[in-house]
Amino acid sequence: LALGSAGNLRLTQQRYHDIAQELRQFGMNLVLSPCADVNTNPLNAIIGMRSFGTDPKNVGEHVTAAVKGALSGGVLTTLKHFPGHGDTDADSHKTLPVVKHLKYRLDEVELVPFKKLINNGLGSVMVAHLNIPALDDAKDLSVSLSPKVVIGLLKEEMGFTGLTFTDALNMKGVSQFYKPGEVDVKALLAGNDVLLFAENVPKAIDEIKKAISQNKISQAEIDARCHKILMVKKWMGLDNYK
């Protein structure tokens, strides 16, 4: 919020470059940041000052500067929380927030920063635990588990080809509706490449193997996603890490 209010894109880029260099000194190469959420709801319990502001264009410009700065410092960013957590009054760590806007409003506000970054080259995106009936009207379904949103909107309509992360799978936005292992399979089938914070990794692996044997997802598709992750690691020089 402070950087967005300052309105100096060079300062934002430099700040994220500095943060990235500090992270590299700790051996980190990925940051789950910045927030591309347009914080239009003053009652927002979870985004608040993590957002660059209330104006979609301004947020888009600052997240672009932030991503450029972090990449120049050697760290991959993850833009979040797709398709936009800014107009919510609930915390997806504790419940499943509902966003009631129609698709045209999402296009005009929430999706603006994400479109700008995708068009300028973006490494990874985190998909939020939000229920958005205009995008998928399935009851109590988070967009992070929706093929209509992850594959249909993000990958096909918006043309995103980078890594797709879920938000943490131990958050109540999804964990109150699905058991460990079950939620991981749903996240994978929705089109996500990286499943963040699985509550039970061995159970998740078992359930994913079961999904492959039941032809819900092919081994070739699993391999393709692993290959994408390995290509990103190579691009970051991690195949020759010192």
Side-chain angles (χ1 to χ4, degrees):
L1 182 61
L3 289 167
S5 299
N8 186 330
L9 296 176
R10 186 176 297 178
L11 177 64
T12 297
Q13 184 168 336
Q14 183 63 48
R15 182 69 185 125
Y16 272 76
H17 174 85
D18 294 344
I19 291 170
Q21 290 197 313
E22 291 178 1
L23 290 172
R24 287 303 293 251
Q25 290 176 11
F26 284 102
M28 300 178 191
N29 49 60
L30 169 75
V31 61
L32 301 177
S33 173
C35 282
D37 305 300
V38 183
N39 198 56
T40 56
N41 190 333
L43 299 178
N44 199 315
I46 191 60
I47 302 303
M49 66 179 64
R50 294 199 290 166
S51 167
F52 284 104
T54 60
D55 177 73
K57 184 174 182 293
N58 186 55
V59 172
E61 289 174 346
H62 280 277
V63 292
T64 301
V67 168
K68 286 181 179 177
L71 285 174
S72 69
V75 168
L76 184 70
T77 55
T78 306
L79 205 62
K80 63 185 185 183
H81 305 79
F82 183 85
H85 206 319
D87 192 1
T88 58
D89 56 8
D91 181 352
S92 52
H93 292 86
K94 301 174 182 177
T95 187
L96 180 61
V98 178
V99 177
K100 297 179 180 179
H101 294 307
L102 297 178
K103 176 65 161 55
Y104 80 88
R105 146 71 194 229
L106 298 173
D107 283 330
E108 291 176 354
V109 179
E110 279 76 11
L111 292 175
V112 169
F114 292 97
K115 288 177 182 175
K116 183 174 180 62
L117 263 294
I118 289 170
N119 292 338
N120 281 276
L122 176 63
S124 64
V125 165
M126 180 190 288
V127 186
H129 300 322
L130 302 170
N131 180 254
I132 308 179
L135 301 180
D136 192 327
D137 60 3
K139 180 177 171 57
D140 295 330
L141 183 69
S142 167
V143 292
S144 55
L145 308 181
S146 170
K148 291 181 180 178
V149 176
V150 181
I151 297 173
L153 175 60
L154 179 59
K155 295 186 177 183
E156 294 177 352
E157 182 179 330
M158 298 179 69
F160 180 63
T161 58
L163 288 180
T164 305
F165 286 70
T166 66
D167 207 339
L169 295 178
N170 66 335
M171 291 164 59
K172 293 296 183 183
V174 289
S175 65
Q176 67 177 317
F177 302 108
Y178 304 100
K179 297 176 183 176
E182 182 184 3
V183 69
D184 303 85
V185 170
K186 287 190 73 70
L188 199 63
L189 296 178
N192 294 289
D193 302 305
V194 183
L195 311 182
L196 193 65
F197 215 135
E199 286 193 276
N200 187 328
V201 173
K203 180 69 173 174
I205 292 171
D206 288 343
E207 291 299 317
I208 290 167
K209 286 180 177 178
K210 193 183 299 181
I212 296 170
S213 68
Q214 294 171 348
N215 294 319
K216 292 181 179 178
I217 188 169
S218 69
Q219 184 63 53
E221 179 61 28
I222 299 287
D223 293 346
R225 296 190 201 181
C226 289
H227 183 257
K228 188 193 291 188
I229 294 167
L230 290 170
M231 290 298 288
V232 172
K233 288 184 174 185
K234 181 173 177 61
W235 175 72
M236 296 188 73
L238 300 181
D239 57 333
N240 189 33
Y241 181 69
K242 300 286 191 300

